Amino acid sequence: MTDWWQAADAELLAALGELQTALNTTWAQMLEVVREVESRGLAERHGYVTGADLLRGTQNISRSTAKARVRAAQDVLPARSLSGEPQPAEMPATAAAVAEGAISAEHVRAIQVTLAALPPHLERHRASLEADLAGFARTLDPDAVLKLGKRALAALDPDGPRPRDGDPTRTRFALVPRGAGFETRGWLDREAAAVLRTALSPLAAPAPAAEGVPDPRSLPERQGDALVELARRVLDTGRLPAEGGQPPHVTVTVALEVLERRLGAGLLGFGEGILAAAISAEDARRWACDAHLVPIVLGAEGAPLDIGRRSRVVSRSLRRALAHRDGGCSFPGCECPPQWTEAHHVVHWAEGGATALHNLLLLCPRHHTLIHAGEWEVSISQGFPLFHPPPWIPGGPRRNPLHRIDLIART
Ligand SMILES: [Zn+2]
Ligand SMILES: [Zn+2]
């Protein structure tokens, strides 16, 4: 047993990756044994109805885990014909990733679920879809792979299910008084629903567990809170059509040397008011990346050198171009839509980085903070953001295909 309390941070982080690979590899070995147990018909001989029954009854595991193992063994191991000839696996790219210990049982499940939902008229896409999902499973977590699968299916089949007789045809939304509040009623077409869900989803996520207690709200409750939060944020950030005058914006006052050397602190003000709160130099640098902030850079004497020099601020048209290119937060696996993102300079403008597409990308506040923490590197490669993880995270450089299904072809 290693004395982990004595280990350096880097050793701990490296151990996490190694152990995950070991878990994945052990699981892959388990599948081979399961397959052999299945092909010998050991279940029947020992009084069980199916192989999954035998696993559940002898290995002290749940029915769903047992079934998942049997299914995975069928799908990711090379089959054998009756004459004993090896046949390619049902899911060959997934099989290769499993054999390397690069993906987990949950990844395999996500790929299986997606392939099971492939409609018959799209059968010809099965092999490429499987290969793409298996490729991304090496760097995206299983939840993200599932979402990617849904989006890939939607992209392959944009028409989706046909409307039924009597379905509404026009998007509408009404608040009807009921009891102490209001009931919402309405109908959204698919496009309108996509817009609303995209905006709601980051706000409707379960709150992190507080003192070990997970978020007790149901999905409808979380979405209800998210809808109100959405409206509140739009009102707060002035993204509605202006009603008399400029929308409010935040001004960051910061000494040039602070931005250049990451020293000291900046001051944050709202609109015309100033000095609302002191902020760290790290935050000042991060915020100075973004379009909605007007940096006021102070020289050695504290006099403004430059108030919101246009070239440092991401213009509206550039931001639109970024939103088009990145589709939202460009960090791998992140679903945040463009309206909640900030523009990040690959080379910080204080260090001479240009305010241009080739030096900018969109990041949500969480991932913007992560990138500024400095362990991840980001570059623009083949015209799109490419993220390089620190050495202790396996899997190599990666992209976010969730907003741009077509990025699948560029990895
Ligand atoms: Zn930034
Ligand atoms: Zn993000």
Side-chain angles (χ1 to χ4, degrees):
M1 199 55 144
T2 313
D3 277 331
W4 289 115
W5 63 273
Q6 288 181 314
D9 292 356
E11 282 180 86
L12 281 179
L13 294 170
L16 284 180
E18 284 159 20
L19 289 171
Q20 183 62 51
T21 305
L23 277 176
N24 295 350
T25 307
T26 305
W27 181 73
Q29 289 165 349
M30 166 82 75
L31 296 187
E32 294 185 19
V33 180
V34 167
R35 199 259 313 262
E36 194 58 29
V37 167
E38 282 276 88
S39 69
R40 291 187 191 186
L42 289 190
E44 290 78 2
R45 266 194 262 160
H46 290 265
Y48 295 94
V49 183
T50 62
D53 262 351
L54 179 144
L55 290 183
R56 182 185 172 207
T58 59
Q59 305 307 308
N60 203 15
I61 57 177
S62 73
R63 183 198 303 271
S64 58
T65 302
K67 280 189 172 172
R69 278 185 199 168
V70 171
R71 282 277 322 269
Q74 283 164 358
D75 284 351
V76 307
L77 295 175
R80 251 172 304 164
S81 69
L82 290 175
S83 57
E85 296 281 302
Q87 306 280 313
E90 204 60 37
M91 294 168 29
T94 310
V98 167
E100 290 169 39
I103 64 175
S104 68
E106 286 181 291
H107 286 109
V108 172
R109 190 81 202 111
I111 298 170
Q112 286 172 322
V113 165
T114 305
L115 292 176
L118 187 70
H121 69 283
L122 297 173
E123 197 50 44
R124 66 186 186 282
H125 296 290
R126 179 176 292 270
S128 60
L129 183 61
E130 190 266 327
D132 289 338
L133 291 176
F136 274 104
R138 292 166 180 264
T139 53
L140 293 184
D141 70 67
D143 296 332
V145 171
L146 204 53
K147 282 171 197 149
L148 177 61
K150 279 195 184 142
R151 282 172 203 195
L153 287 178
L156 288 173
D157 194 13
D159 294 342
R162 286 159 188 274
R164 289 172 312 179
D165 286 348
D167 277 357
T169 52
R170 179 82 186 80
T171 290
R172 53 201 161 85
F173 176 77
L175 288 171
V176 183
R178 178 171 162 187
F182 291 83
E183 187 174 70
T184 56
R185 282 191 206 152
W187 184 86
L188 303 179
D189 64 29
R190 218 177 290 131
E191 189 187 338
V195 171
L196 189 62
R197 288 168 100 168
T198 306
L200 289 184
S201 78
L203 297 169
E211 293 163 20
V213 182
D215 192 335
R217 296 174 301 160
S218 67
L219 179 65
E221 286 170 349
R222 283 188 275 117
Q223 288 188 337
D225 290 346
L227 186 64
V228 176
E229 175 69 14
L230 180 70
R232 196 169 278 145
R233 288 201 191 194
V234 172
L235 293 172
D236 284 352
T237 57
R239 293 299 212 86
L240 289 175
E243 289 174 353
Q246 257 195 319
H249 55 257
V250 175
T251 310
V252 178
T253 309
V254 61
L256 186 57
E257 65 171 20
V258 167
L259 285 177
E260 284 169 349
R261 294 191 213 153
R262 305 189 178 213
L263 291 171
L267 294 163
L268 174 68
F270 289 90
E272 297 308 303
I274 246 171
L275 314 189
I279 56 171
S280 73
E282 196 58 51
D283 284 343
R285 287 174 61 89
R286 181 161 57 82
W287 292 347
C289 266
D290 188 42
H292 306 300
L293 300 167
V294 181
I296 300 181
V297 180
L298 305 175
E301 279 88 50
L305 279 181
D306 181 2
I307 299 176
R309 196 165 73 194
R310 283 203 186 281
S311 66
R312 282 178 189 162
V313 178
V314 181
S315 71
R316 225 171 242 207
S317 59
L318 186 51
R319 206 173 158 96
R320 263 200 296 273
L322 273 171
H324 174 76
R325 186 195 67 190
D326 293 349
C329 175
S330 54
F331 194 85
C334 188
E335 282 200 283
C336 225
Q339 57 271 37
W340 309 139
T341 61
E342 298 159 357
H344 170 73
H345 286 68
V346 176
V347 178
H348 201 277
W349 60 257
E351 284 147 18
T355 299
L357 270 182
H358 68 263
N359 191 42
L360 289 167
L361 51 123
L362 295 182
L363 291 170
C364 68
R366 186 160 71 92
H367 290 123
H368 203 174
T369 304
L370 180 72
I371 292 299
H372 276 262
E375 292 214 65
W376 285 71
E377 298 278 328
V378 59
S379 62
I380 306 288
S381 156
Q382 294 179 277
F384 290 91
L386 183 66
F387 292 79
H388 309 262
W392 47 271
I393 297 180
R398 57 202 67 193
R399 297 189 199 269
N400 189 4
L402 288 184
H403 307 290
R404 294 285 307 241
I405 278 295
D406 53 332
L407 277 189
I408 278 181
R410 287 174 216 262
T411 301

